[in-house]
Amino acid sequence: MTKETVHATIVVERDYPFSPERVFAAYANADAYRQWHAASGVTHELTYEFRAGGRLATTFGSKDGPKFHSEGHFEDIVPNERIVSAGSMHGFGHRSSSTLCTVELRAHNGGTHLTLTDQSVYYAGETPQMRNEGWNGILDTLGSFLQRKAA
């Protein structure tokens, strides 16, 4: 394991044809969150206290492959507008990153413009490119989840 650290800020944006209230509800409900937040696998365990100061812990990964663990808390929640969380990711046999993540929701063209800003330090094993791919997959899965629930 290297002692080098890498700092990166990743910004991912999406437009969804649903109201900010609808998109926020997908974050606010633990059962909904479990269904869409592990884009590349399944959520094996989830602790989800959706309130400022509340705990957020998840173990996720492929059905039979490696598992990753993320643990942190919610820093700030403004209903239908903003969710800020902070935590650490564990994988590759050790803590791989620490993150401050902000999700902003804005009404736009009859739907929602979502901006996710991930400010992280990577220790070893995980890279900003891996995280960027992960967030893009997760937000695509959120869009599919919202579409299914609208049907």
Side-chain angles (χ1 to χ4, degrees), residues 7 13 16 19 38-39 44 46-48 64 75-76 78 81 86 88-89 91 94 101 112 118 120-121 130 133 148:
H7 299 264
E13 298 180 87
Y16 298 114
S19 69
H44 299 282
L46 178 65
T47 299
Y48 201 72
D64 302 317
E75 290 282 331
D76 184 53
V78 178
E81 294 180 21
S88 293
M89 178 81 71
H94 57 273
C101 183
T112 299
D118 175 303
S120 292
V121 58
M130 292 166 68
E133 289 172 12
R148 282 193 315 272

Side-chain angles (χ1 to χ4, degrees), residues 10-144:
I10 297 167
V11 178
V12 182
E13 298 180 87
R14 288 290 188 283
D15 289 314
Y16 298 114
F18 305 99
S19 69
E21 293 80 9
R22 187 98 174 255
V23 177
F24 183 83
Y27 275 91
N29 180 284
D31 289 332
Y33 183 87
R34 177 188 291 272
Q35 292 178 50
W36 63 265
H37 200 264
S40 62
V42 297
T43 299
H44 299 282
E45 298 174 26
L46 178 65
T47 299
Y48 201 72
E49 300 167 355
F50 192 73
R51 59 177 172 74
R55 186 167 176 247
L56 168 61
T58 183
T59 301
F60 61 96
S62 63
K63 198 173 196 177
D64 302 317
K67 293 181 183 171
F68 301 92
H69 182 72
S70 176
E71 186 160 348
H73 61 278
F74 292 101
E75 290 282 331
D76 184 53
I77 298 174
V78 178
N80 308 317
E81 294 180 21
R82 181 177 61 236
I83 304 162
V84 181
S85 60
S88 293
M89 178 81 71
H90 300 264
F92 313 101
H94 57 273
R95 183 175 61 177
S96 57
S97 63
S98 295
T99 300
L100 178 67
C101 183
T102 304
V103 175
E104 297 171 283
L105 308 173
R106 301 285 177 257
H108 179 71
N109 290 336
T112 299
H113 182 77
L114 181 149
T115 303
L116 183 146
T117 304
D118 175 303
Q119 299 166 286
S120 292
V121 58
Y122 301 88
Y123 307 114
E126 187 180 7
T127 67
Q129 294 78 15
M130 292 166 68
R131 180 68 60 89
N132 188 40
E133 289 172 12
W135 279 130
N136 274 286
I138 287 168
L139 293 183
D140 288 348
T141 304
L142 171 59
S144 297

